[in-house]
């Protein structure tokens, strides 16, 4: 695997603490890289029969699973990640699984750095981009809206501009059901009005608008996947969800359930019991990460120049938070303590998808149910109490 640091020197002081925290793993990757700094040459040239995919945010939870699937399917992959939310440990796992030169490259860079992004595109022959990189916590977005508009909307603009400038003509965009806000009726279809109610959803919709407006003036192949609540882990046990400790409070309910089951936290906090749902808690459509990535790969295969595809990716079935907690108790075998609190700002009562369009046009459907996903994820969590530090 090749490792490249695309940061400008002027950015180093701001990143020094982050870099220090990962120095041991960096050294490991340096030693294992066949041609650190210069690249093997394979990444910088198009090769017949080989599709080179840039995966932004590829060190993160969803992006790392996407990278694993792409590598298994014989794609060439370049990960770009600033490691603000991702795990270099996940990259290390991928590198160990696919050590052959020309398969996987990791570039440490921030998509908000226009010069670094241009340098990346100038030095690599990308055929397609899967854009996952984004901050993605609803509660955090209400507290830090400007951060979300910068990280999601502005960075997507820079990425699309770089794609246009360097002739990269296929984009698979990781969007969200949060762009719909709180629709009047369920299930959500692709024609449901987009009226986001929190900065996260608003920033994602703005990014979608940038992509869609540009697509009208180009022959870019665009696929936008609006997905629902992601859970689960790689069924082979290579990858899982490992948020930074300081982000646990903001993270997914599955992570909180597992932390409670392992005794890392005293119990689970459920926010909101007075919603207009059957048991008063929020209803969500929980989609397994393996199923989600399968939708991305199918979207890439179906991407057509000059065409735009927009798809909801979910199971089509909503589960309440209370139902989720009971499923988590069953998966872990632990009677998790639950504390019920007031609503979290920016949350909505009920969201679940109508996946009929993605079923029909891409031949995709969810294979894992809620219980299966949690059981698989629990196996990884038990084996990785400290995430990728184990």
């Amino acid at each position: 695997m090749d490792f490249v640091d695309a940061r400008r020197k002027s950015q180093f002081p701001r990143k020094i603490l982050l870099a220090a925290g990962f120095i041991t793993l960096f050294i490991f990757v340096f030693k294992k890289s066949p041609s650190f700094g210069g690249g093997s040459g394979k990444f910088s040239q198009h090769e017949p029969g080989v599709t080179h995919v840039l995966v932004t945010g590829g060190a993160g939870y969803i992006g790392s699973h996407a990278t694993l699937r792409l590598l298994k399917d014989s794609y060439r992959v370049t990960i770009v990640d600033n490691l603000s939310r991702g795990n270099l440990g996940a990259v290390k796992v991928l590198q160990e699984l696919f050590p052959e030169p020309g398969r996987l490259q990791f570039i440490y860079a921030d998509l908000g750095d226009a010069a670094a992004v241009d340098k990346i595109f100038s030095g690599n022959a990308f055929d397609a981009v899967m854009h996952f990189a984004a901050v993605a916590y609803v509660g955090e977005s209400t507290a830090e809206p400007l951060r979300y508009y910068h990280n999601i909307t502005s960075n997507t603009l820079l990425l699309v501009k770089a794609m246009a400038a360097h002739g990269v003509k296929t984009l698979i965009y990781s969007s969200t059901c949060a762009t719909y806000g709180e629709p009047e009726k369920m299930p959500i279809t692709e024609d449901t009005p987009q009226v986001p109610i929190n900065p996260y959803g608003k920033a994602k919709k703005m990014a979608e608008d940038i992509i869609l407006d540009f697509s009208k003036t180009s022959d870019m192949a665009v696929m936008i996947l609006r997905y629902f609540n992601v859970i689960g882990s790689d069924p082979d046990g290579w990858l899982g969800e490992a948020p930074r400790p300081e982000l646990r409070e903001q993270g997914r309910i599955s992570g909180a359930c597992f932390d409670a089951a392992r005794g890392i936290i005293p119990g689970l906090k459920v926010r909101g019991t007075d919603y207009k749902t059957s048991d008063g808690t929020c209803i969500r459509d929980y989609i397994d990460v393996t199923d989600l990535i399968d939708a991305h790969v199918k979207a890439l295969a179906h991407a057509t120049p000059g065409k735009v595809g927009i798809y909801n990716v979910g199971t089509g079935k909503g589960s309440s938070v209370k139902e989720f907690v009971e499923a988590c108790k069953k998966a872990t075998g632990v009677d998790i303590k639950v504390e019920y609190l007031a609503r979290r700002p920016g949350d909505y009562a009920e969201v679940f998808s109508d996946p009929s369009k993605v079923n029909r046009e891409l031949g995709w459907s969810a294979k894992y149910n809620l219980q299966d996903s949690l059981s698989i994820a629990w196996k990884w969590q038990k084996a990785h109490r400290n995430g990728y530090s184990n």
Side-chain angles (χ1 to χ4, degrees):
M1 183 190 80
D2 290 295
F3 180 99
V4 180
D5 187 342
R7 301 167 300 165
R8 292 174 293 178
K9 289 184 179 179
S10 62
Q11 289 184 312
F12 182 75
R14 294 185 295 161
K15 304 283 189 176
I16 191 167
L17 292 178
L18 176 63
F22 286 98
I23 190 67
T24 303
L25 286 175
F26 279 179
I27 291 171
F28 177 89
V29 176
F30 291 165
K31 289 180 177 178
K32 300 291 282 189
S33 296
S35 52
F36 169 66
S40 66
K42 291 181 178 292
F43 295 97
S44 62
Q45 51 192 288
H46 294 286
E47 184 176 334
V50 178
T51 301
H52 184 183
V53 182
L54 166 60
V55 179
T56 71
Y61 169 46
I62 299 173
S64 62
H65 282 78
T67 300
L68 176 61
R69 170 63 187 274
L70 289 169
L71 290 168
K72 283 182 175 180
D73 288 359
S74 298
Y75 288 86
R76 176 173 294 154
V77 179
T78 292
I79 293 172
V80 171
D81 201 303
N82 68 2
L83 301 177
S84 62
R85 298 283 164 98
N87 286 281
L88 195 62
V91 180
K92 175 184 171 183
V93 169
L94 294 165
Q95 180 265 330
E96 290 175 339
L97 290 172
F98 301 93
E100 303 88 356
R103 295 301 315 280
L104 174 63
Q105 176 183 216
F106 175 73
I107 300 176
Y108 179 34
D110 192 319
L111 292 181
D113 183 340
V117 172
D118 184 71
K119 180 181 178 182
I120 290 166
F121 275 83
S122 296
N124 291 277
F126 298 127
D127 298 297
V129 175
M130 282 191 181
H131 182 27
F132 295 98
V135 286
Y137 295 126
V138 169
E140 184 183 57
S141 79
T142 63
E144 301 182 62
L146 295 183
R147 179 181 188 178
Y148 273 67
Y149 291 122
H150 177 85
N151 179 273
I152 295 172
T153 310
S154 178
N155 286 5
T156 298
L157 173 61
L158 289 178
L159 179 68
V160 173
K161 287 176 68 176
M163 291 179 67
H166 294 276
V168 181
K169 297 184 179 296
T170 301
L171 173 61
I172 314 300
Y173 181 56
S174 165
S175 193
T176 170
C177 65
T179 64
Y180 293 113
E182 194 166 15
E184 294 182 358
K185 63 179 182 178
M186 291 290 140
I188 294 174
T189 72
E190 289 78 3
D191 295 324
T192 297
Q194 289 179 288
V195 189
I197 64 172
N198 53 61
Y200 171 58
K202 291 175 183 178
K204 280 287 191 177
K205 183 181 184 301
M206 289 180 187
E208 282 192 18
D209 289 341
I210 290 169
I211 295 167
L212 293 173
D213 285 345
F214 175 70
S215 71
K216 297 172 185 176
T217 67
S218 76
D219 60 349
M220 183 178 286
V222 174
M223 294 294 222
I224 295 174
L225 304 185
R226 297 173 184 156
Y227 43 88
F228 290 66
N229 292 67
V230 187
I231 60 172
S233 295
D234 167 47
D236 292 327
W238 295 114
L239 301 171
E241 184 178 12
R244 297 183 183 285
E246 67 270 20
L247 297 172
R248 289 184 187 276
E249 190 73 17
Q250 298 282 356
R252 295 176 178 84
I253 185 175
S254 55
C257 277
F258 295 143
D259 283 350
R262 293 183 298 170
I264 295 174
I265 59 177
L268 180 65
K269 296 178 180 179
V270 173
R271 300 185 181 277
T273 59
D274 59 347
Y275 291 98
K276 293 181 179 179
T277 60
S278 59
D279 61 21
T281 62
C282 294
I283 290 177
R284 297 289 183 268
D285 189 340
Y286 296 99
I287 175 73
D288 188 271
V289 67
T290 300
D291 284 333
L292 175 63
I293 298 310
D294 185 52
H296 281 77
V297 173
K298 284 182 167 60
L300 178 59
H302 285 80
T304 304
K307 301 291 184 181
V308 176
I310 299 176
Y311 301 97
N312 290 337
V313 184
T315 65
K317 180 182 183 300
S319 300
S320 74
V321 172
K322 284 185 177 179
E323 290 172 333
F324 187 99
V325 172
E326 290 306 311
C328 193
K329 288 180 179 180
K330 183 176 180 181
T332 62
V334 178
D335 187 15
I336 299 166
K337 179 183 177 182
V338 182
E339 180 182 3
Y340 295 97
L341 304 172
R343 296 185 185 191
R344 183 176 61 177
D347 269 343
Y348 26 82
E350 183 178 28
V351 175
F352 63 95
S353 70
D354 175 357
S356 59
K357 183 181 178 184
V358 69
N359 296 163
R360 182 176 66 252
E361 296 186 8
L362 301 189
W364 176 90
S365 61
K367 295 180 174 60
Y368 293 92
N369 60 36
L370 176 61
Q371 196 66 61
D372 291 338
S373 294
L374 291 175
S375 296
I376 292 170
W378 176 238
K379 291 180 182 178
W380 192 88
Q381 294 292 328
K382 284 194 300 181
H384 299 81
R385 184 177 178 85
N386 296 313
Y388 289 101
S389 299
N390 285 21

